[in-house]
Amino acid sequence: MCGRFTITLPLDELIVRYLIFENRLAKFAPNYNVAPMQFIPAVISGKQGNRLGELRWGLVPSWAKEDKIGGSMINARAESLTEKPAFRKLLTSRRCLIPADGFYEWQQREGGKQPFRIVMKDGGLFSFAGLYDIWTDPEGNKLATCTIITTEPNSLMAEIHTRMPVILRQEHEAEWLARDHADAASLVKLLQSYEAAKMRAYTVSSAVGNVRNNSKELLEAVK
């Protein structure tokens, strides 16, 4: 699964990287411990170009009776997207990119769980493949939410966990966002494990397990 990540790079870098036409972020600050149910930066394709805005992490389908369901829908398995009612329609109509520069995963060991931070070897920005939806409460208030798609682990991640988030190759990002792309079969083909050779993992402090901790010290390697 993917339950925590980081996005610490400057806003200007996001705007350039994703060719943002419209920025709807009211505020932006480095987040060293992004957690479910938080509002996170996300990119979608608008009519005139890419839009950068906020989505709450934890999908609430438009047909849900209440928004509490979001806490149990932070991830969606790539292998079953076309089978699940909550994801099937979104795959062909409401896709997004979720920028990150690292993510955390916990490895089960005899003495407990050890957190790792996984990043690109070049330290660069990358994109999780996501789906989003818009839910309306009984009073008419709208809530935009998202989920991060996961897949089978690559050789690096297999040593840590049984799943990993889908990181789209940069050359596939435009296809994933394209508003007129509704071919589910070809979209699913993009949801592959990222190349392990381009990634690295290192152990970090168990302090990352507490969502209230959010400082650059969480990024530091520990023995």
Side-chain angles (χ1 to χ4, degrees), residues 58-72:
L59 188 77
V60 181
S62 58
W63 42 261
K65 293 183 178 180
E66 55 185 7
D67 66 347
K68 292 180 181 179
I69 191 175
S72 62

Side-chain angles (χ1 to χ4, degrees), residues 64-83:
K65 293 183 178 180
E66 55 185 7
D67 66 347
K68 292 180 181 179
I69 191 175
S72 62
M73 298 184 72
I74 66 171
N75 291 153
R77 295 175 67 93
E79 301 90 335
S80 58
L81 288 180
T82 58
E83 304 167 10

Side-chain angles (χ1 to χ4, degrees), residues 6 101-103 117-121 123 126 156 198-202:
T6 63
D101 55 17
F103 65 95
R117 183 170 183 247
I118 299 93
V119 298
M120 294 296 151
K121 284 184 176 178
F126 55 86
L156 173 72
K198 295 182 178 181
M199 304 171 69
R200 69 182 183 93
Y202 62 92

Side-chain angles (χ1 to χ4, degrees), residues 132-195:
Y132 75 97
D133 208 349
I134 300 173
W135 179 77
T136 305
D137 70 15
E139 287 72 44
N141 301 307
K142 295 184 182 297
L143 176 65
T145 63
C146 65
T147 187
I148 293 174
I149 300 172
T150 67
T151 188
E152 294 292 324
N154 59 26
S155 58
L156 173 72
M157 286 301 301
E159 298 292 324
I160 302 171
H161 199 268
T162 58
R163 303 289 294 175
M164 70 176 291
V166 171
I167 298 171
L168 288 170
R169 289 146 183 80
Q170 191 168 349
E171 62 268 26
H172 294 159
E173 291 175 357
E175 181 179 355
W176 181 255
L177 287 180
R179 293 168 60 88
D180 59 352
H181 193 344
D183 184 342
S186 63
L187 288 164
V188 168
K189 289 181 181 178
L190 302 180
L191 306 177
Q192 305 297 320
S193 303
Y194 201 78
E195 295 100 319

Side-chain angles (χ1 to χ4, degrees), residues 27-72:
K27 58 181 180 179
F28 179 81
N31 194 334
Y32 305 97
N33 197 4
V34 183
M37 307 306 283
Q38 293 180 358
F39 283 90
I40 61 175
V43 180
I44 67 170
S45 177
K47 291 181 179 180
Q48 295 179 297
N50 289 345
R51 287 164 40 190
L52 178 64
E54 285 187 327
L55 298 172
R56 197 182 78 177
W57 185 13
L59 188 77
V60 181
S62 58
W63 42 261
K65 293 183 178 180
E66 55 185 7
D67 66 347
K68 292 180 181 179
I69 191 175
S72 62

